[in-house]
Amino acid sequence: MPHTRVVQQLCTQVMSAQSGTGRVLVAVAGPPGAGKSTLAAELVTALRAQTGESSAALVPMDGFHLDNEELRTRGLLATKGAPETFDTTAFVALVAAIRKDNGDLTYPLFDRALDKTLPDAATLPAAARIVVFEGNYLLLQQGGWAALSGMFDVTALLSVPLPVLRARLVARWLEHGLTEQDAEARATRNDLVNARTVLDHSAPADLLLSAQSDGQIAIETKRERVNRAG
């Protein structure tokens, strides 16, 4: 795995958070282009290897993008991906329902190629005792996202330097068919604005995962950050 050391640390945190038969909810947060999806998928694979194939599941936040027509009506289509362009209320309700452990639950997915949400496209089985969420705003302390505070048992925040994010995001938009000029504009005027929001206004995570210039990821616990600051 590309993030073997990080995944091992996260697995240790998750196993330590297990208590009785209740679910363990994990948040993998970070700015767009940080590598959240890859890390979260690797974590779920590792957890399944340790605890059983059906024991861990992944729930992406992206399925809660508001539809383009709704965004157009609200005048928000140009800033799609910003905190206010998601159905925050519905996402918070899903996390709460998963926490209550009410059997099988369906949730939406986002099709990036079609640029649309697919309602009830995935099912979280009742057998999944560890649920890994990934998304930009899971730890955001602003607006309706703040209602997620305290809902997760283990939290991780990926921090990547803005120049690295910019290069990744421009490449992403080029892959989706945008011209170089449009890709640069989309990354700079929208994605990086959202990245700063995530990095500046997210709650402290149990694990801060900071990308280094050599491609490695430095791991710092919340306690280590407090001790260093004090």
Side-chain angles (χ1 to χ4, degrees):
M1 289 182 182
H3 300 113
T4 302
R5 185 172 56 88
V6 175
V7 170
Q8 288 175 344
Q9 180 86 11
L10 278 167
C11 282
T12 299
Q13 293 280 123
V14 172
M15 295 305 178
S16 297
Q18 287 186 311
S19 177
T21 59
R23 275 185 165 143
V24 176
L25 273 56
V26 184
V28 177
K36 302 178 301 297
S37 300
T38 300
L39 176 59
E42 291 175 4
L43 175 59
V44 169
T45 298
L47 289 168
R48 286 175 175 172
Q50 291 188 37
T51 61
E53 185 61 30
S54 62
S55 66
L58 177 62
V59 177
M61 189 199 82
D62 277 358
F64 291 84
H65 276 285
L66 291 171
D67 288 335
N68 287 347
E69 282 304 314
E70 177 70 17
L71 293 175
R72 190 174 288 110
T73 299
R74 299 187 187 190
L76 295 172
L77 186 58
T79 58
K80 185 171 184 174
E84 63 273 17
T85 65
F86 289 84
D87 189 344
T88 314
T89 301
F91 181 72
V92 171
L94 175 67
V95 178
I98 291 172
R99 166 62 71 195
K100 289 179 181 177
D101 201 2
N102 292 330
D104 293 354
L105 292 168
T106 61
Y107 59 92
L109 295 176
F110 184 71
D111 189 312
R112 194 177 292 275
L114 297 175
D115 194 29
K116 66 180 296 185
T117 295
L118 307 176
D120 298 322
T123 299
L124 176 70
R129 311 317 300 156
I130 304 170
V131 184
V132 179
F133 298 85
E134 67 91 3
N136 297 339
Y137 306 121
L138 302 180
L139 303 180
L140 192 63
Q141 296 179 297
Q142 296 180 331
W145 298 102
L148 293 170
S149 178
M151 286 193 180
F152 301 110
D153 301 292
V154 178
T155 59
L157 179 67
L158 272 166
S159 178
V160 179
L162 291 177
V164 176
L165 288 177
R166 181 180 177 280
R168 292 180 184 178
L169 292 163
V170 169
R172 173 188 290 180
W173 290 119
L174 289 173
E175 289 175 4
H176 284 280
L178 270 64
T179 65
E180 187 165 347
Q181 181 177 1
D182 288 343
E184 292 270 1
R186 184 70 177 264
T188 302
R189 299 174 188 172
N190 195 26
D191 293 332
L192 290 181
V193 172
N194 298 332
R196 291 186 181 94
T197 296
V198 172
L199 295 174
D200 293 344
H201 301 290
S202 288
D206 296 323
L207 294 178
L208 176 63
L209 310 174
S210 302
Q212 307 297 294
S213 58
D214 60 1
Q216 298 298 309
I217 295 179
I219 306 172
E220 189 175 34
T221 67
K222 187 185 295 184
R223 178 177 296 179
E224 288 170 340
R225 295 197 303 278
V226 170
N227 290 341
R228 178 166 53 81

